[in-house]
Amino acid sequence: MLSKNQIKYITQLKQKKYRDLHKIFIAEGFKVIEELLNSSLELVHIYSTSYIDFKVSNNQLTLISLDELKKISNLSTPNQCLALFKMKDIQLPVNKGLKVALDDVRDPGNLGTIIRLCDWFGIEDLICSHESVDVYNPKVVQATMGSLTRVNVFYTDLVAYLKEYNHDIYGTFMDGANVYKETLADNGIIVMGNEANGISNEIEQMVTKKIAIPRFGTLQETESLNVATATAIILSEFKRSNSVSK
């Protein structure tokens, strides 16, 4: 049984200020929890409605009722188990390899999907502006489906970071060069912008190569692509281009 204090503590972790205070975040569902357990992340505790052999010590697993799980879950339909993990300590990456930077991406689903895309395409480092949604937001953790363990996500002053960066900075713009016709480097940063406003004017000034995904529709009336969809296309083309050149 969960005490009122335990319920209060866990539900508070749905808010960024309490996650930052305690350095602990929530993960839900067997698949996500299993992925996190198989990583370097440190488990705090698991709460489950039935016994599952997670291969953890008895004092790290508590059986609870479905009603109790509903009280602490972030899901409309709770998924059998919920776990608490300690956040990992991340240092800013070295200026080597291909990276993705997010300029004020606010939607948790978009960030979670972009993290999965980085995992799929072998991008180890994702740099986020401070205004971007928190990687430990429960909806982001859920959307990553475990890829969070294989991608390093950094939060920094993106303007200051890019000023010190010494490789190409790619930015996605409607009027950029056709990405399918460009020579794309395997060192550099690909900047993806805010869902509504795109890349900010300040960061646009630092972009060294503007690229675009061309529209092939007959009417050419679609204004833009979802940022996660655009990230998938851009990363695929970068990887295809580099694999062909080698």
Side-chain angles (χ1 to χ4, degrees):
M1 177 177 285
L2 291 175
S3 69
K4 288 183 179 179
N5 283 339
Q6 286 176 306
I7 292 172
K8 180 180 178 181
Y9 172 72
I10 295 168
T11 54
Q12 281 181 335
L13 294 175
K14 297 175 186 179
Q15 299 178 54
K16 185 178 186 300
K17 66 178 181 179
Y18 290 108
R19 292 194 296 271
D20 289 344
L21 175 65
H22 299 293
K23 302 299 180 185
I24 291 173
F25 70 96
I26 297 171
E28 296 195 57
F30 175 79
K31 170 65 175 175
V32 174
I33 292 172
E34 185 180 45
E35 288 271 9
L36 298 183
L37 286 173
N38 289 329
S39 73
S40 60
L41 289 172
E42 184 179 345
L43 172 69
V44 176
H45 207 86
I46 297 175
Y47 302 90
S48 179
T49 56
S50 61
Y51 178 76
I52 301 174
D53 187 10
F54 283 110
K55 295 180 172 57
V56 300
S57 62
N58 290 335
N59 62 1
Q60 289 182 303
L61 176 64
T62 297
L63 295 181
I64 60 175
S65 69
L66 179 57
D67 284 341
E68 288 176 314
L69 181 60
K70 287 179 179 178
K71 289 178 181 178
I72 60 176
S73 174
N74 193 61
L75 304 175
S76 55
T77 305
N79 191 355
Q80 190 176 6
C81 46
L82 177 150
L84 306 181
F85 286 88
K86 290 186 178 180
M87 298 178 182
K88 58 182 178 180
D89 186 28
I90 299 290
Q91 301 297 320
L92 279 173
V94 296
N95 292 343
K96 183 179 180 182
L98 189 63
K99 308 179 193 308
V100 173
L102 302 184
D103 179 16
D104 194 17
V105 169
R106 297 296 182 95
D107 183 82
N110 283 336
L111 177 55
T113 300
I114 290 170
I115 291 171
R116 290 182 68 187
L117 288 167
C118 287
D119 186 18
W120 182 269
F121 287 106
I123 306 298
E124 295 181 359
D125 299 318
L126 176 63
I127 298 105
C128 299
S129 66
H130 286 306
E131 295 76 22
S132 294
V133 62
D134 180 26
V135 66
Y136 293 114
N137 178 306
K139 291 181 180 179
V140 176
V141 175
Q142 199 70 20
T144 69
M145 293 301 292
S147 289
L148 175 63
T149 66
R150 295 178 290 274
V151 178
N152 299 316
V153 183
F154 310 83
Y155 286 81
T156 189
D157 180 332
L158 192 55
V159 172
Y161 180 81
L162 292 177
K163 281 181 179 177
E164 299 298 319
Y165 190 72
N166 55 15
H167 294 293
D168 281 326
I169 299 174
Y170 294 86
T172 49
F173 297 87
M174 293 298 291
D175 60 350
N178 186 335
V179 69
Y180 301 123
K181 296 180 180 180
E182 287 296 292
T183 300
L184 305 172
D186 54 7
N187 270 326
I189 286 183
I190 305 166
V191 181
M192 306 301 295
N194 173 268
E195 290 89 345
N197 303 312
I199 293 172
S200 64
N201 292 334
E202 192 171 11
I203 288 181
E204 180 179 356
Q205 303 307 312
M206 289 180 257
V207 169
T208 58
K209 295 192 174 182
K210 292 185 176 183
I211 53 176
I213 301 167
R215 290 180 292 189
F216 294 98
T218 303
L219 297 179
Q220 303 277 302
E221 289 183 354
T222 303
E223 289 187 4
S224 62
L225 287 173
N226 168 274
V227 64
T229 301
T231 301
I233 295 168
I234 293 291
L235 286 180
S236 179
E237 184 58 20
F238 265 83
K239 292 298 183 178
R240 186 203 66 79
S241 177
N242 284 308
S243 64
V244 168
S245 66
K246 292 176 181 178

